[in-house]
Amino acid sequence: SRRIRKIFCRIFHLPQAFLRRFTSTIHRALKAIMLGIVLVALAQGFLCGIGFAVAGLNQPAFWGMLATLVAPIPVVGTALIWLPLCLSLWFTGKTMAAVGLALWGVLAVAGVDNVLRPLFLRQGIKAPFFVLILAILCGLASFGPVGLIAGPILLAFAMQAVEEANRFYNFHD
């Protein structure tokens, strides 16, 4: 990568420190995104497992593990697991358990994604919470599922570009 960086800097007449700061910013953002995806999926799977156990489903740990595996899928995620289980409870006459599990899935399990993901992103991208949520939502709207990664990366890139512009213009004043 050093060689590629040197060639890139020579072609575009950029200082190596400039490119190093950009690559460092993108690396930190990607690390935070990946860590967030894994930890949010684990949290959602754990919460699903708790909901499955309280609802009285057989093998709640197994279903929670399946929910963990599908949690990173944008929009549907854990609903791929808990929604059919809610329907199963409903059609077997366990109406209260079905309604309770559905509410738990919509409020707690899906809600934890909206809170934890931006918190993990803040570790790699120093931006306000609201801006991170907007980056995620705009990324999803613009790029689909890839937007979960592309939105925050573009935000980190833009913030670094502004920082570099400030550094450049303050240096030349």
Side-chain angles (χ1 to χ4, degrees):
S1 70
R2 277 190 214 133
R3 194 169 189 180
I4 293 171
R5 190 169 37 231
K6 279 183 179 181
I7 293 169
F8 185 86
C9 288
R10 283 182 189 161
I11 291 171
F12 292 103
H13 304 289
L14 297 171
Q16 283 194 25
F18 175 84
L19 188 59
R20 194 176 316 111
R21 287 190 296 267
F22 265 99
T23 55
S24 172
T25 297
I26 301 302
H27 181 264
R28 278 193 316 273
L30 279 171
K31 187 176 176 183
I33 290 167
M34 292 307 144
L35 183 66
I37 288 172
V38 170
L39 293 178
V40 167
L42 288 172
Q44 286 182 310
F46 181 74
L47 287 173
C48 279
I50 289 172
F52 299 151
V54 170
L57 290 166
N58 291 331
Q59 302 174 334
F62 169 76
W63 294 113
M65 182 196 64
L66 279 181
T68 301
L69 293 175
V70 299
I73 299 171
V75 183
V76 290
T78 55
L80 288 172
I81 304 301
W82 62 257
L83 191 59
L85 291 174
C86 285
L87 292 173
S88 168
L89 288 170
W90 182 272
F91 289 123
T92 56
K94 299 176 184 171
T95 309
M96 289 303 291
V99 170
L101 185 58
L103 287 173
W104 180 256
V106 169
L107 299 176
V109 177
V112 78
D113 183 33
N114 299 331
V115 174
L116 287 182
R117 190 175 306 274
L119 286 177
F120 289 122
L121 279 176
R122 287 188 84 183
Q123 303 304 312
I125 303 171
K126 303 298 182 212
F129 189 77
F130 181 71
V131 173
L132 289 170
I133 290 175
L134 280 177
I136 293 168
L137 293 175
C138 290
L140 273 171
S142 299
F143 304 110
V146 175
L148 281 176
I149 297 170
I153 292 294
L154 289 173
L155 172 66
F157 189 84
M159 289 176 64
Q160 185 63 37
V162 168
E163 188 177 313
E164 291 299 328
N166 285 337
R167 183 177 282 133
F168 178 78
Y169 287 113
N170 288 336
F171 180 74
H172 285 88
D173 281 344

